[in-house]
Amino acid sequence: MPEFDPLEAFADVRHEFGEHGGVNMSIEASTTFTVMHAGTMPEIFQGRRGPDTGGCYLYGRHFNPTVYVLGRQMAALEGAEAGYCAASGMGAIAATVMQLCNTGEHVVAGDTLYGGTYALLNDYLPAKAGIRTTFVDARDLAQVDQAFTAKTKVLYVETLSNPTLRVADIPKLAELAHRHGAKLVVDNTFTPLVVSPIQLGADVVVYSATKFVNGASDIIAGIICGSTEFITSLMDLHLGSLMLLGPTMDPKVAFSISLRLPHLGLRMAEHSRRALAFAQRIEAMGHKVVYPGLESHPDHALLARLAHRDYGFGGVFALDLKSTERANQFMEHLQNTERFGFMAVSLGYFDTLMSCSASSTSSEMSEEARQSAGLSPGLVRISVGYTGSLEQRWRQLERAINAVGLP
Ligand code: PLP
């Protein structure tokens, strides 16, 4: 990776004193904002004044100062010009795609995506907005190239595909997208700090901040980072997807998340350290593990090239138990006998979360689509937490593997 250091960039923007000099910013819990001169109001509506031009705020669904600070902090972490927030990851993704595509236009997307994103692109947007998507194997650059049409506006991928953990070659995909006059949008939910997509050429990065960014599984939230022009366009009074579809982040939510960003680096490093240790030990037992930190992973060298040094290869690994029954038996044993973690969807929690993707978060995909994406019915996705000691958790995991047996 180049010299960009996300934590240094973050430290530069973090100093935002509270109203009375507090070390934390204040929460601006107001839905509407006072102007001192009546003439200011039309200027805000005309887009001539705003948070960056005269310091004026209009209304909470437009920009809110607390939410705006979180957006700026996330933009700094990404090395992006600007950032703003949404009520959920899906709010961020839907607003981004709809902002970049009009009716009749086209998206090229990786064929393994979070199930909700897949349904948005495959089902919702064609039916509701006439925006169509061609799904491709994002690791096959020739296939990606061929999928572009004159109408393609967006190439959409996840840095680490959910749940198959293939790695997107962001610099090459950015080059392809730009050659076709499209924008590269990257969902970096699995790998905050591990990879900085904007630095690698992506135009927009989106997050489900419900996951690692937040870290406590108590808040649903989304983030969008990109150029100032793009973020401003999302708030346009006539055509802004965040402004008009309204997936607004509450300022109290923004405040809570802002308190967790300073330790995101420490958390990511520990998630990754434990995921790597478990993956290596399971592999040493002679079992197959899907984890991009392992040299046996087909995209290991690529991720090693794209990733920053200090945060490892991410906190998620997967085991293929081949059948749903076997996967369920394994997860039940881990949760109910070993107390190793929770059988629950989602990821990025401080405790371990595990789910069988084909019958849960990827169930929006048809069986055929799952097969072509290499998503086995028995694939168990494990988001590794950092509660307890590593050795204690390993003993629990090892006992469960020996009790249930991996195929
Ligand atoms: N992107 C990815 C990779 C996800 O895993 C998820 C949710 O699981 C989402 C987006 C959607 O985020 P949210 O649930 O915050 O709307």
Side-chain angles (χ1 to χ4, degrees):
M1 260 298 291
E3 316 77 57
F4 171 71
D5 183 326
L7 293 193
E8 287 185 7
F10 176 70
D12 284 343
V13 299
R14 221 205 76 75
H15 273 197
E16 186 79 31
F17 296 112
E19 197 180 354
H20 304 286
V23 291
N24 292 314
M25 67 172 158
S26 301
I27 305 175
E28 186 67 85
S30 293
T31 57
T32 191
F33 298 86
T34 318
V35 293
M36 297 311 287
H37 302 287
T40 309
M41 196 78 90
E43 288 182 341
I44 303 177
F45 274 92
Q46 288 151 16
R48 285 190 284 125
R49 273 185 191 252
D52 278 336
T53 43
C56 297
Y57 289 87
L58 172 66
Y59 180 64
R61 179 161 42 76
H62 194 237
F63 288 111
N64 167 286
T66 314
V67 182
Y68 196 58
V69 168
L70 178 65
R72 282 216 311 273
Q73 293 180 346
M74 282 302 299
L77 277 177
E78 292 300 319
E81 237 173 53
Y84 206 63
C85 314
S88 66
M90 284 312 300
I93 293 165
T96 296
V97 176
M98 293 199 72
Q99 198 62 35
L100 293 171
C101 295
N102 294 325
T103 302
E105 292 180 334
H106 178 246
V107 177
V108 176
D111 60 7
T112 14
L113 300 173
Y114 163 61
T117 310
Y118 181 83
L120 175 79
L121 297 174
N122 190 57
D123 306 316
Y124 185 92
L125 286 178
K128 304 287 187 187
I131 297 167
R132 306 208 162 271
T133 295
T134 303
F135 293 94
V136 292
D137 174 355
R139 296 294 291 119
D140 182 342
L141 295 174
Q143 203 188 115
V144 179
D145 194 20
Q146 277 160 21
F148 282 90
T149 72
K151 300 251 178 222
T152 308
K153 297 292 173 204
V154 168
L155 172 57
Y156 187 99
V157 293
E158 293 174 350
T159 308
L160 277 189
S161 63
N162 180 1
T164 51
L165 305 181
R166 294 303 304 263
V167 180
D169 192 339
I170 296 169
K172 293 229 168 80
L173 292 170
E175 209 181 293
L176 265 182
H178 297 160
R179 191 165 359 113
H180 288 279
K183 304 281 188 209
L184 176 63
V185 178
V186 177
D187 179 339
N188 202 38
T189 297
F190 277 47
T191 44
L193 292 178
V194 174
V195 174
S196 299
I198 298 262
Q199 293 294 307
L200 297 168
D203 299 283
V204 181
V205 60
V206 287
Y207 279 99
S208 166
T210 313
K211 312 295 179 343
F212 289 104
V213 168
N214 168 41
S217 284
D218 61 335
I219 290 174
I220 300 277
I223 309 280
I224 308 171
C225 294
S227 66
T228 305
E229 187 191 356
F230 178 66
I231 297 298
T232 307
S233 76
L234 290 165
M235 290 309 180
D236 187 88
L237 269 65
H238 299 278
L239 286 170
S241 299
L242 279 183
M243 184 62 187
L244 296 174
L245 299 177
T248 309
M249 178 183 277
D250 187 280
K252 298 178 194 84
V253 164
F255 177 76
S256 292
I257 295 178
S258 79
L259 292 189
R260 300 160 197 212
L261 293 187
H263 45 74
L264 178 60
L266 298 173
R267 292 189 277 114
M268 286 314 295
E270 186 60 9
H271 281 296
S272 294
R273 185 177 79 92
R274 292 194 181 207
L276 178 64
F278 294 162
Q280 282 172 334
R281 292 178 192 193
I282 297 169
E283 192 167 65
M285 290 169 80
H287 302 299
K288 191 167 168 357
V289 191
V290 183
Y291 182 64
L294 294 175
E295 280 177 22
S296 57
H297 189 284
D299 302 332
H300 174 73
L302 172 62
L303 186 56
R305 214 167 56 241
L306 302 186
H308 291 285
R309 259 196 330 272
D310 299 334
Y311 312 103
F313 294 88
V316 180
F317 73 88
L319 294 172
D320 189 357
L321 279 285
K322 302 290 182 205
S323 71
T324 317
E325 296 70 34
R326 199 91 178 262
N328 291 346
Q329 196 193 350
F330 180 57
M331 291 188 296
E332 282 178 11
H333 193 92
L334 276 169
Q335 174 181 267
N336 301 339
T337 306
E338 293 295 346
R339 310 238 171 276
F340 172 76
F342 297 102
M343 230 187 312
V345 294
S346 202
L347 52 123
Y349 185 37
F350 48 69
D351 257 312
T352 294
L353 297 178
M354 52 208 168
S355 54
C356 179
S357 301
S359 46
S360 60
T361 50
S362 298
S363 58
E364 292 91 340
M365 294 168 77
S366 67
E367 202 176 321
E368 195 190 1
R370 285 199 299 267
Q371 251 173 27
S372 98
L375 206 174
S376 145
L379 193 76
V380 174
R381 185 187 75 188
I382 301 182
S383 169
V384 179
Y386 47 76
T387 59
S389 75
L390 192 156
E391 293 309 326
Q392 169 197 26
R393 295 304 187 195
W394 170 247
R395 287 193 298 276
Q396 294 170 333
L397 184 54
E398 188 181 33
R399 277 198 300 264
I401 291 170
N402 287 330
V404 176
L406 296 184

